[in-house]
Amino acid sequence: MILSRFSGTLLLFPGKRGLATVAPHVSSRKAKAEGSIAAIFTSLTDENHVALPDRFAELKRDLWNEGLVQSWKEVLGELESEVEHIAARGAEIIPKVSYRDIKSGLSKADIDTIKRVGTVIVQGGVPQEEALAWKQSIVDYAANNKDLVKGFPSDNIQVYEIYNSVSQIKARTHPNIVDTQRFLLSLWNTSDPTSEISLQTPISYFDRLRIRLPGDAKFTLGPHIDGGSVERWEDVGLRSVFGKILQGGSSWKSHNPFDASPRIGAKQDMYHTSNACSIFRAWQGWTSLSSTGPGEGTLRVFPNLSLATAYLILRPFFRPRHASSTSLKADDWVLDVESSTFPGSSIGKTQELNEKTHPHLQLARTMTSVPKVEPGDQVYWHCDVIHAVEGKHGGKGDSSVLYIPTVPLTIGNASYLRDQRINFLAGLPAPDFPGGEGETRFMGRGTPDDVLSEEGRRMLGLEIFEADAGKGLGEEFVRKINEVLI
């Protein structure tokens, strides 16, 4: 179907042009500042976290209740044993499944493990030769446009400000990757049956790529969580995601990190920051373009989703009894609702963590490098998982990935999809990322013609959606989605 307008009336009729030729060509979003991935990480710029305004002390007092003391003690008690468990098991704690097993169906035990850890490696989704061809195509694309390519660090790029290459378009719409994303969305649920979302319909969120070379030590991302920083407490909608934790007592144990309902309207980017994700992204992820293992510049995670989340949300309300104390015992920590401090949080930055700001996590012992992956393997981590990138690439080959997350269809996400499509057609960076001219002058960038499937075209906002109750696509929901896309 394609769309047109005649005398103010919306008309649908068969055709091959799709939304690309008839929808508006001006994004509704203000472009973000030009730059690179470094803009949102103090660990890449050696900045200090700037003190938060006094209103954040008032926010803490508004959120405080006496039951949080019990929550804090319980969480610290469980962390003590969990840290030892993680340190003892290391990388073997991270689940690995094959794409073939996903297609045939995983056991409840496998699914429970994935949800508890919050991270999963999917092996064999894309043939190795296909993944390696994608990488070579990107290398050629960058070489053909070498005077225009930008990235971090600027003098020896490891993370490229490239969003619209042919390889990225093909990977984002690859049927096996889409199948994997559909499975990952199936692990989520909605507590509110009226939630306007389809957890059976993944859409594309354009992100950049990494080709990290042996010896690199500049692309060092410390432990962090994307999808907001102070917003977790400041935004009423995002705060409601963690409502059970903030209730106090033992309610934190009832927190469901896979409940999509409260996330649909949450504001993760209140400050219009470059590199800050503004939509509901259920899983972050990458598809490997190389053989990469521990010590070779790979991903690291804290492999316990719910416990780490509870600790993170409670942490601002407590401080050491003595500023110089290094004790992790609950009795040596006291209430802090007078300061505006939210450890590791800054306005306009991602949520960062380290041994000083979040000592009970013992990140030096618990941040776990994912096991070795091969070209075509996929790695996904829940949007609340603490993750990092190894400080140095000590391997002999490149450590290369395409960042391809898993995003469900919602009305808000469709609005972003519309503007992302507009930028794609123009060769501009995706709306959440650093602005500037992007790839507008690049030779050989991707186009809608590189998307071969109808589902792929919908994922990129190039076609309207059609009602399908079996996929959570009711007629009224689809009508709203299509109106937004136009």
Side-chain angles (χ1 to χ4, degrees), residues 313-331:
I313 296 299
L314 294 171
R315 173 67 181 88
F317 301 99
F318 300 91
R319 61 172 175 79
R321 187 180 299 275
H322 304 290
S324 60
S325 173
T326 59
S327 173
L328 301 181
K329 294 180 180 179
D331 290 343

Side-chain angles (χ1 to χ4, degrees), residues 19-31:
L19 290 173
T21 59
V22 297
H25 294 280
V26 179
S27 173
S28 64
R29 286 170 169 76
K30 179 182 177 182

Side-chain angles (χ1 to χ4, degrees), residues 432-445:
D432 275 346
F433 295 86
E437 71 172 15
E439 295 155 78
T440 56
R441 295 191 288 140
F442 279 37
M443 297 183 295
R445 73 171 190 260

Side-chain angles (χ1 to χ4, degrees), residues 9 35-36 72 125 160 178-179 195 200 240 248 257 276 307 320 340 344 385 409 426 434:
T9 302
S36 73
W72 177 248
Y160 289 77
V178 177
D179 281 345
S195 297
Q200 295 84 37
S240 69
L307 188 56
S340 62
V385 161
L409 181 64

Side-chain angles (χ1 to χ4, degrees), residues 14 32 55-56 92 130 153 177 220 234 245 396 426 479:
K32 294 188 175 182
R55 71 175 187 270
F56 286 93
E92 69 178 38
E130 190 169 6
I177 291 178
T220 302
E234 188 177 14
I245 300 171
K396 297 182 179 179
R479 183 189 65 78

Side-chain angles (χ1 to χ4, degrees), residues 43 45 70 106 116 153 226 335 376 418 426 433 464 466:
S43 59
T45 57
Q70 178 185 339
L106 297 182
R116 182 179 68 254
D226 298 304
L335 174 65
R418 174 198 61 219
F433 295 86
I464 64 168
E466 296 181 353

Side-chain angles (χ1 to χ4, degrees), residues 5 29 48 63 69 102 151-152 157 169 176 186 203 210 255 257 262 300 326 333 369 375 400 407 413 439 452:
R5 290 187 180 274
R29 286 170 169 76
N48 292 319
L63 295 178
V69 174
I102 284 178
F152 177 87
I157 297 175
I169 300 304
N176 295 4
S186 75
I203 60 174
R210 178 183 86 212
H255 169 64
R300 308 183 78 203
T326 59
W333 286 67
S369 296
S400 303
V407 176
N413 286 1
E439 295 155 78
L452 303 180

Side-chain angles (χ1 to χ4, degrees), residues 67-308:
L68 295 181
V69 174
Q70 178 185 339
S71 304
W72 177 248
K73 291 180 178 179
E74 290 181 358
V75 168
L76 295 194
E78 294 206 13
L79 264 178
E80 188 174 358
S81 59
E82 183 62 15
V83 163
E84 298 303 323
H85 173 67
I86 293 171
R89 292 195 62 194
E92 69 178 38
I93 204 171
I94 298 174
K96 294 186 289 186
V97 300
S98 71
Y99 171 72
R100 187 169 51 241
D101 289 340
I102 284 178
K103 290 292 288 182
S104 61
L106 297 182
S107 68
K108 182 180 183 301
D110 286 338
I111 290 174
D112 288 346
T113 299
I114 293 170
K115 295 177 76 170
R116 182 179 68 254
V117 174
T119 302
V120 62
I121 296 173
V122 180
Q123 299 173 310
V126 178
Q128 289 194 21
E129 60 274 13
E130 190 169 6
L132 291 172
W134 288 342
K135 180 172 65 175
Q136 185 59 52
S137 177
I138 289 167
V139 170
D140 294 342
Y141 180 58
N144 291 338
N145 298 282
K146 62 182 180 179
D147 294 333
L148 300 171
V149 174
K150 297 180 180 179
F152 177 87
S154 58
D155 60 343
N156 185 21
I157 297 175
Q158 312 292 308
V159 182
Y160 289 77
E161 292 298 314
I162 288 178
Y163 304 87
N164 301 307
S165 70
V166 173
S167 290
Q168 286 166 297
I169 300 304
K170 289 183 176 179
R172 290 165 185 151
T173 57
H174 192 284
N176 295 4
I177 291 178
V178 177
D179 281 345
T180 304
Q181 293 177 340
R182 192 174 290 111
F183 159 73
L184 291 168
L185 289 178
S186 75
L187 303 186
W188 287 72
N189 67 283
T190 52
S191 57
D192 180 355
T194 67
S195 297
E196 293 185 307
I197 185 172
S198 172
L199 291 171
Q200 295 84 37
T201 310
I203 60 174
S204 187
Y205 180 83
F206 285 27
D207 205 332
R208 46 171 78 86
L209 62 94
R210 178 183 86 212
I211 300 179
R212 194 178 187 191
L213 303 177
D216 174 67
K218 289 189 176 181
F219 182 54
T220 302
L221 296 186
H224 66 280
I225 309 170
D226 298 304
S229 178
V230 291
E231 287 91 341
R232 283 177 173 78
W233 299 270
E234 188 177 14
D235 176 62
V236 174
L238 190 53
R239 187 195 311 158
S240 69
V241 171
F242 312 106
K244 290 290 185 181
I245 300 171
L246 291 167
Q247 280 183 16
S250 296
S251 294
W252 67 274
K253 296 180 180 179
S254 300
H255 169 64
N256 177 9
F258 291 91
D259 180 7
S261 293
R263 296 181 189 258
I264 293 173
K267 294 181 180 179
Q268 302 176 140
D269 178 20
M270 295 176 64
Y271 299 98
H272 195 65
T273 303
S274 289
N275 303 287
C277 180
S278 64
I279 68 169
F280 172 28
R281 178 174 53 176
W283 296 83
Q284 294 174 250
W286 49 251
T287 298
S288 182
L289 303 182
S290 62
S291 297
T292 304
E296 298 177 337
T298 196
L299 176 76
R300 308 183 78 203
V301 298
F302 184 96
N304 186 309
L305 171 59
S306 291
L307 188 56

